[in-house]
Amino acid sequence: MLGVKLIERFKSIQVHALSPSDTTNGKNPIAATKGKLIKPFSKSKPTNSVSVAENLLPYGFPTTDLLEPSIDPHIKPIDLVEALADLYGRLESSSQPNKSLLHMEKYSLLRSLGDPKLLRRCLCAARQNAGDVHSKVVLSAWLRFERREDELVGVSAMDCGGHILECPNATLVSGYCLNSIHDFCQCLKDHSKVFDKTILKGNEDSDVSFCIGNEEIQCVRYRIAALSRAFNVMLYGRFLESKMDKIDFSRDGISVKGMRAVEVYSRTRRLDLFSPEVVLELLSFANRFCCEEMKSACDAHLASLVGDIKDALILIEYGLEETANLVVASCLQVLLRELPSSLHNWKVMKFFCSSEAMERLARVGHASFLLYYFLSQVAMEKSIVSNMTVMLLERLEECAKERWQKALALHQLGVVMLERKEYKDAQGFFAAAAVVGHVYSMAGVARAKHKQGQQYSAYKLMSSLISEYKPVGWMYQERSLYNIGKEKILDLETATELDPTLSFPYKYRAVAKVEEKQIRAAILEIDRIIGFKLSPDCLELRAWFFIALEEYESALRDIRVVLTLEPNYMMFHRKITGNYLIELLSQWAQKWSLADCWMQLYQRWSCIDDIGSLAIIHQMLVNDPGKSLLLFRQSLLLLRLNCQKAAMRCLRLARNHSSSEHERLVYEGWILYDTGHREEALSRADKSIFLERSFEALFLKAYILADTSLDHKSSSYVVQILKEALRCPSDGLRKGQALNNLGSIYVDSGKLDLAADCYMNALEIKHTRAHQGLARVYHQRNKRQDAYDEMTKLIEKAQNNASAYEKRSEYCDREMAKNDLDIATQLDPLRTYPYRYRAAVLMDDQKDTEAVEELTKAIAFKLDLQMLHLRAAFYESMGNLTSALQDCQAALCFDPDHKETLDLYCRARDFAVNRQLQ
């Protein structure tokens, strides 16, 4: 009966076109056309909310009927911990040739976590364990792409900066090279040879001539014979040529110039004496007469000549024709290292996308899952619905051999087809991915069914998943799309409870409140996720709400931050550019001078309003887009908000717009530091200081040096650098940070009075975070109440204060600490310390099961090494060695060298072995 009722209810559901409700009188005043968008505005603030809506919201408000989450395009196991543990076990026991691909499997598993540094470590590990030239070429290009080196002005695609894992020369050498990412290659050294013309003329007497037309090329018989077994048999065997002094080579497909080159090569074994055209002729000659040494030499020489896309497109055809592996590899390398710009070259994409080209590449060992994995990810990032993306994913599927590879290719094809509104094909691909074990693809099947009008079928499918597997957040989120009424809201609440990082439930609840004319409540709802997870779609939604309330400055702030995150973001159903909307809204916003902007930035920075600070900087950059200092500030704020991709883009822009070399070196240093190249970053800082002893260069050096355990001597040196930096010209925002860092070093060194002075000076220039450092000083002096009060001041001043609640919990009793940590979790569920603290308290109270459950609840949506390590320790103490080993293995996928986890893993493994032997 329940099923019948559900069917009847679903029949009454209709997906309406965009027809939002008026937030004031229940009518729909926003039926404007695109033409209304561009009508001129009055400079005075309009009093009629309908006219504002018509002008600023010509496409209407979002409605709950039209909201839906996207299907994640990455592999998403039901139990990621189990999947990672299994992978680690296979890595431990695998032979060297298999390790590179296993690291790529780890990369695909961890992509859904969205941690760029973690993913880069996976790529580095894959590159370190790659033995064949093809894999090295693809992975070194992939590493370069991930760092977006193409966005740095003046940097060549073939420049590796000395990084051996990205070196284009090192990739063309077969064999394993287990170098660290910090090792340097030798390609910057001068390896040029001096050309000696005398070697063109040999000292030996010729004893055989090869005739081509009327020309005779005199050669030394035994040297020609040494080129191959074929020549040896011809010149010394039973063939007529062995008795001849002159041999006719007119019909053997080589020119006079080419044959002269053969003669020189037979004596010198050198090819740098000839033009590329002649070497190509020698390559063909070597293939025809089985001259393997000559072929290898020509292959390597031609590979070294590939300099740009034009060269690559020409030479790759010769390489494929003559099966010259290195030539093809070198050409591929150029095409891949020019990504994403080479995507715009139709010849390049035609070559990669066609089945015929893939077959030709396969014949020389250069068609692989790895190659098309890289290409398809770049294409999806550029345009998920393009034909090019579809074709590359089809090639990816054709290359897939292992189950995870097939699952990835099929699932991504399903995602692309869904975006292209080709729902029947999408359903087929998702279903095929599910068949090979990717359960998450069933959500894609359900979505495709829903799009084809099979809503009840989609509902039943998701309900069966919830019954069959341990429920996770995305299952309830997906089922909510096909549910109605209170059940729909209940599903969304359950999804948020299981995974608070899912943005769709917040967005749906917020829009539902708008439809109920509760716009303030809608803003509070969407604020819940914006507070810990900044994303353009949620900010856009909030801007929509502020426009409805005629709070244009707040809307303008959010739109500016959206464009900071994604400069080309299209607003309001992808119909309006963000810049155009800013232009419209600015007419109702207060006009600020440059001095006003700096004052506003200072104020927002001081109250730790990172979103407001980003908006001010964006406004300042509109008037001065090349201001590298502002771009650098922007990157610092974005890093604080955990928006690493946008932060690195801003850093690259700051570097490109640098007005001096010493400034450019500082930004390059930060880029290198943030991508794991610590020593090179330190070198950039030193070079910058040599040119000019600026605040930023000295601060960078001190920051890098302080990022390790400091002994007394090292601490003194860092203190000296920071003191010198503080004497250099800079503004209060940066000097406050320097004083804060200096105070931290003093605390670590036990110099509490000096630390307190630093923090007080920082507070005087409104560096609000110094309250936390001063609280630490009080705590070191056994003044817990003063420390607590100091953190309370920070909580009262800071707009983003989850971390302040977390820190204050260290300075109060257990019950008050629990309250503070509960608030911290409510404000930011991604902070892991509160879960670990609560779990430790439960463990102390001998509530083992509850302690494990506390950690498990967080691990489900925030996989973290420390939480996995702690849960493994709990499992060990409970005697559950199987679960302890599994958590250790999963944790070691994040950091294989984590000492505490390695010790625990070895101990638990030994216990397990001894238990089996008993």
Side-chain angles (χ1 to χ4, degrees):
M1 290 300 295
L2 176 62
V4 173
K5 290 180 180 178
L6 281 171
I7 292 172
E8 292 304 314
R9 290 164 69 188
F10 282 128
K11 283 181 180 177
S12 68
I13 296 295
Q14 179 181 352
V15 179
H16 300 283
L18 191 64
S19 55
S21 303
D22 179 27
T23 57
T24 56
N25 55 20
K27 296 180 181 179
N28 174 24
I30 312 171
T33 63
K34 188 171 182 178
K36 290 187 179 181
L37 176 65
I38 58 175
K39 64 188 270 188
F41 293 93
S42 168
K43 292 294 182 181
S44 60
K45 182 176 178 177
T47 57
N48 188 325
S49 63
V50 173
S51 66
V52 173
E54 288 180 349
N55 282 315
L56 295 180
L57 300 172
Y59 302 102
F61 278 97
T63 65
T64 52
D65 287 340
L66 297 178
L67 280 177
E68 64 178 37
S70 60
I71 299 291
D72 193 327
H74 310 305
I75 287 181
K76 206 167 186 172
I78 291 288
D79 189 338
L80 183 54
V81 174
E82 181 182 347
L84 287 173
D86 173 69
L87 177 62
Y88 185 82
R90 285 183 284 136
L91 267 169
E92 274 191 308
S93 60
S94 72
S95 59
Q96 190 66 49
N98 299 324
K99 285 190 175 181
S100 181
L101 203 54
L102 285 171
H103 282 293
M104 287 310 301
E105 184 178 353
K106 181 169 69 172
Y107 173 88
S108 70
L109 285 172
L110 294 174
R111 281 202 76 179
S112 61
L113 301 184
D115 184 342
K117 291 184 177 180
L118 182 60
L119 295 178
R120 182 168 179 80
R121 287 200 294 271
C122 293
L123 287 176
C124 285
R127 169 63 183 85
Q128 285 174 306
N129 287 277
D132 62 289
V133 168
H134 174 76
S135 296
K136 288 183 175 184
V137 164
V138 176
L139 289 166
S140 65
W142 203 332
L143 281 166
R144 183 182 186 278
F145 175 79
E146 289 295 331
R147 289 202 295 129
R148 294 301 193 272
E149 286 282 291
D150 58 287
E151 294 181 10
L152 296 181
V153 173
V155 176
S156 165
M158 302 306 287
D159 180 18
C160 64
H163 310 149
I164 194 163
L165 296 185
E166 298 176 35
C167 175
N169 294 328
T171 60
L172 298 179
V173 180
S174 183
Y176 297 101
C177 182
L178 302 178
N179 301 83
S180 163
I181 63 171
H182 308 296
D183 289 344
F184 290 87
C185 66
Q186 304 297 313
C187 64
L188 299 179
K189 294 185 178 180
D190 184 13
H191 298 291
S192 59
K193 297 180 181 179
V194 178
F195 176 57
D196 182 5
K197 292 185 178 180
T198 61
I199 65 173
L200 292 174
K201 186 175 181 180
N203 296 322
E204 298 174 285
D205 294 332
S206 61
D207 54 359
V208 65
S209 297
F210 289 87
C211 302
I212 302 174
N214 297 324
E215 295 284 341
E216 290 186 15
I217 297 90
Q218 296 181 344
C219 302
V220 179
R221 183 180 292 268
Y222 83 89
R223 290 196 178 276
I224 298 297
L227 292 177
S228 71
R229 179 171 176 77
F231 273 120
N232 186 65
V233 172
M234 176 196 293
L235 297 175
Y236 287 107
R238 297 180 179 180
F239 288 91
L240 291 175
E241 287 85 354
S242 64
K243 308 297 183 182
M244 298 169 61
D245 296 330
K246 294 182 180 181
I247 301 172
D248 186 11
F249 250 43
S250 298
R251 298 182 181 180
D252 286 284
I254 189 166
S255 67
V256 173
K257 187 182 289 186
M259 197 60 210
R260 293 192 192 282
V262 171
E263 188 279 325
V264 173
Y265 176 81
S266 72
R267 291 184 288 104
T268 66
R269 294 300 193 269
R270 286 183 61 176
L271 294 170
D272 56 329
L273 314 171
F274 314 118
S275 67
E277 293 78 12
V278 171
V279 179
L280 282 170
E281 196 172 357
L282 290 182
L283 176 62
S284 180
F285 178 88
N287 260 335
R288 194 175 305 115
F289 291 95
C290 303
C291 306
E292 295 301 328
E293 183 185 349
M294 180 189 287
K295 179 181 178 179
S296 297
C298 292
D299 196 5
H301 181 75
L302 289 168
S304 69
L305 301 180
V306 187
D308 54 31
I309 291 180
K310 184 179 178 181
D311 293 341
L313 289 172
I314 294 171
L315 286 173
I316 200 167
E317 291 298 329
Y318 286 102
L320 291 170
E321 185 68 28
E322 302 293 344
T323 63
N325 189 289
L326 278 182
V327 171
V328 175
S330 185
C331 294
L332 273 181
Q333 178 159 252
V334 169
L335 299 179
L336 296 177
R337 291 175 77 94
E338 290 284 357
L339 289 171
S341 62
S342 55
L343 286 175
H344 301 290
N345 188 314
W346 68 271
K347 291 182 179 179
V348 174
M349 283 302 101
K350 181 181 178 183
F351 178 80
F352 282 129
C353 291
S354 71
S355 295
E356 180 189 357
M358 190 185 79
E359 291 172 3
R360 295 176 70 198
L361 285 169
R363 285 196 288 269
V364 291
H366 284 290
S368 68
F369 179 85
L370 189 61
L371 171 65
Y372 287 100
Y373 190 9
F374 178 29
L375 288 169
S376 60
Q377 301 319 294
V378 177
M380 287 179 72
E381 189 173 307
K382 178 179 170 59
S383 172
I384 197 169
V385 296
S386 69
N387 291 334
M388 174 182 65
T389 301
V390 174
M391 288 187 284
L392 288 172
L393 285 172
E394 288 172 345
R395 303 292 82 76
L396 182 69
E397 183 197 357
E398 291 166 9
C399 291
K401 295 179 181 177
E402 300 184 20
R403 287 173 65 87
W404 75 269
Q405 296 174 351
K406 292 175 183 177
L408 176 67
L410 290 165
H411 180 74
Q412 292 193 334
L413 275 166
V415 170
V416 170
M417 292 303 173
L418 193 67
E419 288 292 323
R420 287 163 62 99
K421 297 181 172 57
E422 298 176 22
Y423 302 126
K424 187 174 181 179
D425 288 340
Q427 182 178 335
F429 285 124
F430 282 130
V435 167
V436 293
H438 192 229
V439 178
Y440 176 64
S441 292
M442 295 303 289
V445 174
R447 189 75 61 87
K449 283 179 177 245
H450 169 58
K451 293 294 185 180
Q452 297 173 82
Q454 304 170 38
Q455 188 166 344
Y456 182 57
S457 177
Y459 172 84
K460 287 199 300 181
L461 179 59
M462 293 312 301
S463 294
S464 68
L465 284 183
I466 292 172
S467 300
E468 185 176 352
Y469 297 96
K470 182 180 179 181
V472 288
W474 61 261
M475 292 180 182
Y476 285 95
Q477 173 180 270
E478 192 65 29
R479 192 175 72 171
S480 73
L481 297 176
Y482 322 124
N483 218 331
I484 55 178
K486 292 182 179 179
E487 291 88 351
K488 186 185 195 80
I489 299 301
L490 184 60
D491 274 352
L492 290 171
E493 292 294 344
T494 305
T496 299
E497 182 182 345
L498 292 172
D499 186 352
T501 67
L502 295 172
S503 61
F504 172 74
Y506 301 94
K507 291 164 66 176
Y508 184 92
R509 289 189 291 262
V511 173
K513 291 180 187 298
V514 170
E515 293 176 345
E516 296 169 359
K517 306 168 192 173
Q518 302 176 36
I519 301 181
R520 290 289 177 196
I523 291 173
L524 290 175
E525 178 63 34
I526 204 67
D527 279 348
R528 288 174 59 194
I529 190 166
I530 289 175
F532 67 89
K533 185 181 179 183
L534 205 60
S535 64
D537 57 333
C538 292
L539 284 167
E540 178 195 8
L541 198 59
R542 191 170 72 173
W544 227 318
F545 300 159
F546 281 127
I547 289 173
L549 292 172
E550 298 189 58
E551 295 182 10
Y552 304 123
E553 290 193 0
S554 295
L556 195 56
R557 174 203 62 204
D558 284 351
I559 294 168
R560 289 189 183 282
V561 178
V562 167
L563 294 182
T564 299
L565 296 173
E566 291 188 24
N568 298 319
Y569 192 84
M570 297 292 290
M571 308 286 292
F572 298 171
H573 308 297
R574 302 179 183 177
K575 301 291 186 182
I576 308 174
T577 65
N579 287 325
Y580 184 61
L581 196 56
I582 285 176
E583 182 183 338
L584 302 185
L585 287 170
S586 295
Q587 300 182 61
W588 290 287
Q590 184 177 351
K591 301 296 186 294
W592 287 338
S593 66
L594 182 60
D596 293 331
C597 286
W598 275 108
M599 288 181 63
Q600 290 292 329
L601 178 60
Y602 201 90
Q603 179 182 342
R604 283 164 172 73
W605 197 292
S606 297
C607 66
I608 314 181
D609 177 8
D610 296 332
I611 291 178
S613 299
L614 279 175
I616 297 296
I617 292 177
H618 184 275
Q619 182 175 350
M620 296 166 78
L621 283 168
V622 169
N623 299 321
D624 191 0
K627 191 72 172 179
S628 58
L629 176 64
L630 291 174
L631 289 163
F632 178 54
R633 298 294 169 81
Q634 204 173 49
S635 73
L636 296 176
L637 286 166
L638 288 166
L639 282 174
R640 188 186 295 172
L641 290 164
N642 200 29
C643 302
Q644 190 174 14
K645 184 177 179 181
M648 296 306 292
R649 186 189 66 247
C650 292
L651 259 181
R652 290 189 292 271
L653 285 171
R655 180 262 184 202
N656 290 343
H657 288 95
S658 300
S659 57
S660 62
E661 185 179 357
H662 74 84
E663 185 183 11
R664 175 180 58 80
L665 288 166
V666 169
Y667 301 141
E668 286 181 357
W670 281 113
I671 291 171
L672 288 165
Y673 177 77
D674 286 330
T675 51
H677 298 282
R678 183 179 178 276
E679 295 303 321
E680 294 171 76
L682 193 58
S683 174
R684 292 293 201 284
D686 286 332
K687 289 178 182 177
S688 181
I689 292 169
F690 177 77
L691 294 173
E692 181 172 326
R693 303 186 77 81
S694 66
F695 172 88
E696 291 297 350
L698 291 162
F699 183 89
L700 171 61
K701 182 171 183 177
Y703 192 92
I704 296 170
L705 291 173
D707 190 27
T708 54
S709 299
L710 296 175
D711 55 25
H712 176 72
K713 184 178 180 181
S714 301
S715 296
S716 300
Y717 184 47
V718 174
V719 166
Q720 179 185 341
I721 296 171
L722 282 173
K723 283 183 175 180
E724 185 176 357
L726 287 165
R727 290 193 292 269
C728 297
S730 187
D731 57 75
L733 300 177
R734 293 298 284 155
K735 288 203 171 184
Q737 183 64 60
L739 284 165
N740 202 58
N741 291 6
L742 183 58
S744 178
I745 295 171
Y746 279 140
V747 172
D748 291 337
S749 303
K751 301 176 181 178
L752 301 182
D753 291 339
L754 291 173
D757 290 342
C758 287
Y759 292 129
M760 293 302 293
N761 289 335
L763 288 171
E764 285 180 9
I765 55 177
K766 296 189 181 298
H767 186 77
T768 309
R769 292 179 186 273
H771 282 297
Q772 183 169 319
L774 198 54
R776 190 178 170 207
V777 171
Y778 288 136
H779 181 61
Q780 292 283 328
R781 290 171 171 169
N782 295 318
K783 298 180 178 180
R784 290 189 75 198
Q785 185 59 48
D786 289 343
Y788 181 90
D789 294 342
E790 201 64 36
M791 289 307 302
T792 302
K793 294 177 185 177
L794 177 57
I795 288 170
E796 291 169 351
K797 292 180 181 179
Q799 192 148 328
N800 302 327
N801 53 19
S803 63
Y805 277 106
E806 181 181 296
K807 195 66 182 176
R808 190 176 72 171
S809 70
E810 298 178 19
Y811 309 132
C812 53
D813 59 42
R814 177 182 286 192
E815 192 59 35
M816 293 176 69
K818 182 180 181 301
N819 291 336
D820 275 355
L821 291 174
D822 287 345
I823 294 173
T825 297
Q826 184 180 355
L827 294 172
D828 184 355
L830 293 175
R831 302 192 73 85
T832 61
Y833 174 75
Y835 302 101
R836 289 185 281 121
Y837 177 88
R838 287 189 289 263
V841 169
L842 288 167
M843 204 68 180
D844 288 343
D845 293 341
Q846 297 183 341
K847 297 179 180 178
D848 300 358
T849 304
E850 292 89 339
V852 167
E853 184 56 36
E854 178 68 23
L855 293 174
T856 301
K857 178 175 64 176
I859 287 170
F861 61 85
K862 173 62 177 175
L863 206 55
D864 174 83
L865 186 152
Q866 290 181 315
M867 285 200 291
L868 284 169
H869 173 83
L870 184 58
R871 191 172 71 172
F874 288 175
Y875 277 134
E876 183 197 30
S877 69
M878 295 162 65
N880 188 346
L881 297 179
T882 301
S883 296
L885 287 170
Q886 185 179 83
D887 279 357
C888 285
Q889 289 174 318
L892 291 170
C893 283
F894 288 82
D895 183 0
D897 301 319
H898 192 255
K899 186 178 184 306
E900 291 81 2
T901 304
L902 281 171
D903 292 343
L904 176 57
Y905 179 50
C906 293
R907 189 169 63 247
R909 187 171 55 185
D910 291 342
F911 285 155
V913 171
N914 292 333
R915 181 180 290 179
Q916 289 177 349
L917 294 175
Q918 289 175 358

